[in-house]
Amino acid sequence: MDFVYGEYLISDNKEMLDIPTIKGFLARSYWANKRSDETIEKSIVSSTCYGSYQADIQVGFARVVTDDATMYWLCDVFIHEEYRGQGLGKKLIEVIT
Protein backbone atom coordinates (compact mmCIF):
# COMPACT_ATOMS: atom_id res chain seq x y z
CA MET A 1 0.00 0.00 0.00
CA ASP A 2 1.39 3.39 -1.00
CA PHE A 3 -0.09 6.77 -0.12
CA VAL A 4 1.13 10.15 -1.34
CA TYR A 5 0.94 13.11 1.03
CA GLY A 6 2.26 16.24 -0.64
CA GLU A 7 5.91 15.57 -1.40
CA TYR A 8 5.98 12.50 0.87
CA LEU A 9 5.29 8.83 0.26
CA ILE A 10 3.93 6.57 2.99
CA SER A 11 4.42 2.88 2.23
CA ASP A 12 4.26 -0.52 3.89
CA ASN A 13 6.88 -1.90 1.47
CA LYS A 14 9.57 -3.35 3.75
CA GLU A 15 12.10 -3.31 0.91
CA MET A 16 12.09 0.49 1.10
CA LEU A 17 12.93 0.64 4.81
CA ASP A 18 16.26 2.25 5.69
CA ILE A 19 17.26 0.00 8.57
CA PRO A 20 20.28 2.11 9.67
CA THR A 21 18.00 5.18 9.88
CA ILE A 22 15.45 3.28 11.96
CA LYS A 23 18.13 1.89 14.28
CA GLY A 24 19.67 5.35 14.67
CA PHE A 25 16.43 6.99 15.65
CA LEU A 26 15.41 4.22 18.04
CA ALA A 27 18.86 4.41 19.67
CA ARG A 28 18.13 8.10 20.44
CA SER A 29 14.60 7.42 21.68
CA TYR A 30 13.68 7.12 25.34
CA TRP A 31 11.61 3.97 24.79
CA ALA A 32 13.94 1.84 22.66
CA ASN A 33 17.47 3.06 23.36
CA LYS A 34 18.42 -0.18 25.11
CA ARG A 35 17.38 -2.50 22.26
CA SER A 36 20.09 -4.34 20.39
CA ASP A 37 20.39 -4.10 16.62
CA GLU A 38 19.38 -7.76 16.42
CA THR A 39 16.20 -7.12 18.45
CA ILE A 40 15.26 -4.17 16.24
CA GLU A 41 15.83 -6.21 13.09
CA LYS A 42 13.74 -9.12 14.42
CA SER A 43 10.92 -6.74 15.43
CA ILE A 44 10.82 -5.32 11.90
CA VAL A 45 10.74 -8.78 10.30
CA SER A 46 7.91 -9.88 12.61
CA SER A 47 5.73 -6.76 12.23
CA THR A 48 3.86 -4.76 9.63
CA CYS A 49 5.97 -1.65 9.09
CA TYR A 50 5.32 1.70 7.48
CA GLY A 51 7.86 4.21 6.28
CA SER A 52 7.50 7.86 5.36
CA TYR A 53 9.81 9.07 2.63
CA GLN A 54 10.81 12.29 0.94
CA ALA A 55 12.32 11.16 -2.34
CA ASP A 56 14.77 8.42 -1.28
CA ILE A 57 15.15 9.62 2.33
CA GLN A 58 13.28 7.85 5.09
CA VAL A 59 11.88 10.52 7.41
CA GLY A 60 9.38 8.50 9.45
CA PHE A 61 8.53 5.03 10.66
CA ALA A 62 5.83 3.10 12.49
CA ARG A 63 5.56 -0.55 13.43
CA VAL A 64 2.34 -2.52 13.93
CA VAL A 65 2.12 -5.80 15.84
CA THR A 66 -1.13 -7.56 14.95
CA ASP A 67 -3.02 -10.81 14.83
CA ASP A 68 -4.47 -9.64 11.48
CA ALA A 69 -7.97 -10.28 12.78
CA THR A 70 -9.05 -8.39 15.88
CA MET A 71 -6.25 -6.28 17.33
CA TYR A 72 -3.12 -4.30 16.64
CA TRP A 73 -0.52 -2.47 18.68
CA LEU A 74 1.04 0.62 17.16
CA CYS A 75 4.61 1.21 18.30
CA ASP A 76 8.00 2.71 17.48
CA VAL A 77 6.41 5.69 15.74
CA PHE A 78 8.75 8.53 14.81
CA ILE A 79 9.18 11.42 12.42
CA HIS A 80 12.73 12.69 12.05
CA GLU A 81 13.19 15.96 13.93
CA GLU A 82 13.85 18.00 10.77
CA TYR A 83 10.53 16.95 9.23
CA ARG A 84 8.17 17.56 12.15
CA GLY A 85 5.47 20.23 12.18
CA GLN A 86 4.11 19.40 8.73
CA GLY A 87 1.37 16.98 9.73
CA LEU A 88 3.36 14.00 8.52
CA GLY A 89 3.04 12.07 11.79
CA LYS A 90 -0.70 12.60 11.86
CA LYS A 91 -1.00 11.46 8.25
CA LEU A 92 1.14 8.38 8.95
CA ILE A 93 -1.16 7.35 11.80
CA GLU A 94 -4.25 8.12 9.71
CA VAL A 95 -3.02 5.90 6.87
CA ILE A 96 -2.28 3.06 9.29
CA THR A 97 -5.61 3.23 11.11
Side-chain angles (χ1 to χ4, degrees):
M1 179 271 327
D2 289 345
F3 182 86
V4 176
Y5 175 66
E7 62 186 278
Y8 299 99
L9 172 68
I10 298 171
S11 178
D12 64 353
N13 182 348
K14 283 190 182 178
E15 292 179 14
M16 295 178 67
L17 294 175
D18 183 342
I19 304 302
T21 294
I22 295 166
K23 289 179 182 177
F25 191 91
L26 293 177
R28 296 189 315 271
S29 73
Y30 69 87
W31 71 89
N33 60 7
K34 304 276 193 257
R35 291 184 199 162
S36 68
D37 285 354
E38 294 79 19
T39 298
I40 292 170
E41 290 169 12
K42 186 175 181 180
S43 72
I44 290 170
V45 168
S46 301
S47 302
T48 302
C49 299
Y50 296 82
S52 300
Y53 307 90
Q54 182 185 45
D56 293 334
I57 300 169
Q58 184 163 359
V59 300
F61 176 75
R63 189 167 67 84
V64 176
V65 180
T66 182
D67 65 5
D68 289 322
T70 61
M71 60 75 62
Y72 70 92
W73 175 45
L74 179 63
C75 52
D76 294 339
V77 179
F78 71 82
I79 300 296
H80 191 283
E81 295 89 344
E82 295 176 24
Y83 295 87
R84 293 180 185 168
Q86 303 177 54
L88 187 54
K90 291 177 185 175
K91 186 53 72 173
L92 175 60
I93 300 305
E94 179 184 312
V95 168
I96 293 169
T97 58

